[in-house]
Amino acid sequence: MRPLGEPLPPPLRAHGGPLADLFARWLRQRDDAAHAPEKAALTRALQALSEDEIRSHARRQAAIAMRGGWSHWSWAVPAATVASLLGLPMTDLDAQRRLHGRLRAMAAGLAATADQAAVKTAGEAATALLDALDEAEQRAPDAPLQWTLLRHAAPSRWSDRATFAANRLALIWQSHEAGAALLGHALLRMRETRRALARDELLTIAREGGAVRNTRRVDPNGDVVLVPLAGTDHPFGDGAHRCPGQGLTLGTLVAALTWLSEQADLRLPAPGAPLTLANMDIPQFPDQNQEPSP
Ligand code: HEM
């Protein structure tokens, strides 16, 4: 949701490029007449995903990510699971690290202080992901989330193909930081419970601020107002912009944490300082904080 007359944040307005084009098409940033029908189609596509498919892709990504250490694990699993469900070849650690690198480049380009170089690099990372998703659509149209998108939210249901493609990529982007925040806080809670967490326990952590703490709305004067989410019953937002990815997120995290709890000699990670963003804290588990494995 952008202030009236300002569809782009200043760095994107100043430097333009592929990321600026994507940002302006994202449902998250729009309140135009096409938002509601496009959002409804996207929501149907996400709801059509089966729990079994989410579980098997999440477990596979959790197993691959464990080879990269804890800091990689809590960052990689949410976004890599969505990418895998979209048919991207998330078959090894390098693929997960490449995806993570591109998402961090996008984050740097979306930062309030982003300079021309950061916006350019972010645009290249986003373009590489758009191309990979187009290639996956040709090579693996039966990948679970590609299939439900093409079935319930095909390009013909969007203003144009570019808006379809931008919001398909947004599924990976939206799962990235928010997913790492909730998974990181779940790992901290698992240090106490010594067992996997259930959906309702993850929702409790999100309500307590362990996911996205606030969101934005545009008031009748066209000004952006902050809407608290932490401490409310709506950690995934509410109304027209409510998160359509709640079910996918909770299914992914429960599956990954259950896989984790089945591992022998499991030593849960020791946290370092969190990455603090404007609307969330993302726990970090730097390798140097971890006890050497026996
Ligand atoms: C822990 C993980 C996640 C959290 C905490 C989260 C939270 C949120 C929140 C708070 C919003 C804004 C809602 C509002 O302003 O009312 C949002 C929007 C959105 N989320 Fe999520 N999300 C998560 C994961 C995901 C995933 C996995 C997907 C997709 C696969 C997703 C897709 C979206 C989309 C498309 C929007 C924009 C909706 C719109 O503006 O109409 N999110 N999310």
Side-chain angles (χ1 to χ4, degrees):
M1 287 85 9
R2 300 290 312 161
L4 223 50
E6 284 182 47
L8 294 173
L12 295 187
R13 196 167 58 241
H15 306 304
L19 186 63
D21 180 68
L22 277 175
F23 186 93
R25 295 173 187 278
W26 281 343
L27 286 168
R28 186 90 171 72
Q29 308 302 337
R30 293 171 30 215
D31 285 302
D32 54 49
H35 177 273
E38 292 175 356
K39 175 71 175 291
L42 181 71
T43 303
R44 280 194 297 276
L46 287 165
Q47 287 169 346
L49 273 176
S50 82
E51 283 302 320
D52 287 348
E53 283 161 340
I54 295 171
R55 187 178 310 112
S56 63
H57 282 254
R59 289 178 65 88
R60 196 176 315 130
Q61 294 307 316
I64 293 169
M66 190 45 83
R67 300 172 208 145
W70 284 110
S71 205
H72 173 78
W73 197 85
S74 67
W75 266 113
V77 172
T81 299
V82 177
S84 174
L85 286 162
L86 283 166
L88 294 191
M90 304 305 297
T91 50
D92 57 28
L93 198 51
D94 288 347
Q96 288 187 346
R97 286 180 169 150
R98 228 180 356 263
L99 173 66
H100 181 70
R102 287 172 173 161
L103 293 168
R104 296 320 298 151
M106 285 177 65
L110 290 168
T113 54
D115 61 13
Q116 184 168 18
V119 171
K120 182 171 177 292
T121 305
E124 290 158 1
T127 303
L129 288 171
L130 284 172
D131 294 346
L133 287 165
D134 281 344
E135 193 273 332
E137 184 183 333
Q138 301 308 316
R139 177 181 42 74
D142 52 356
L145 189 45
Q146 281 281 10
W147 192 86
T148 62
L149 277 174
L150 296 173
R151 177 111 174 48
H152 298 286
S156 58
R157 290 184 178 277
W158 299 78
S159 313
D160 51 36
R161 183 172 167 95
T163 303
F164 161 79
N167 285 284
R168 180 173 57 184
L169 172 53
L171 299 177
I172 302 176
W173 171 248
Q174 289 285 150
S175 67
H176 174 49
E177 292 177 335
L182 187 52
L183 185 55
H185 283 100
L187 280 176
L188 297 176
R189 184 64 50 85
M190 242 176 110
R191 286 167 61 87
E192 300 155 21
T193 64
R194 315 297 308 169
R195 59 166 174 74
L197 303 181
R199 272 171 189 257
D200 59 340
E201 293 171 297
L202 290 171
L203 269 176
T204 301
I205 294 173
R207 288 193 195 98
E208 293 166 352
V212 180
R213 286 196 300 267
N214 51 60
T215 186
R216 290 155 300 150
R217 288 290 180 271
V218 177
D219 71 13
N221 306 325
D223 301 320
V224 171
V225 291
L226 223 53
V227 178
L229 297 175
T232 77
D233 265 347
H234 306 291
F236 284 83
D238 200 12
H241 284 282
R242 188 182 189 294
C243 175
Q246 178 173 341
L248 172 51
T249 296
L250 297 176
T252 298
L253 270 54
V254 166
L257 294 168
T258 304
W259 174 88
L260 197 58
S261 68
E262 295 161 0
Q263 305 315 301
D265 302 327
L266 178 66
R267 286 164 170 249
L268 288 165
L275 172 66
T276 297
L277 302 178
N279 60 351
M280 67 184 91
D281 282 334
I282 303 178
Q284 306 291 289
F285 305 95
D287 296 341
Q288 69 267 21
N289 285 34
Q290 311 315 325
E291 288 168 29
S293 42

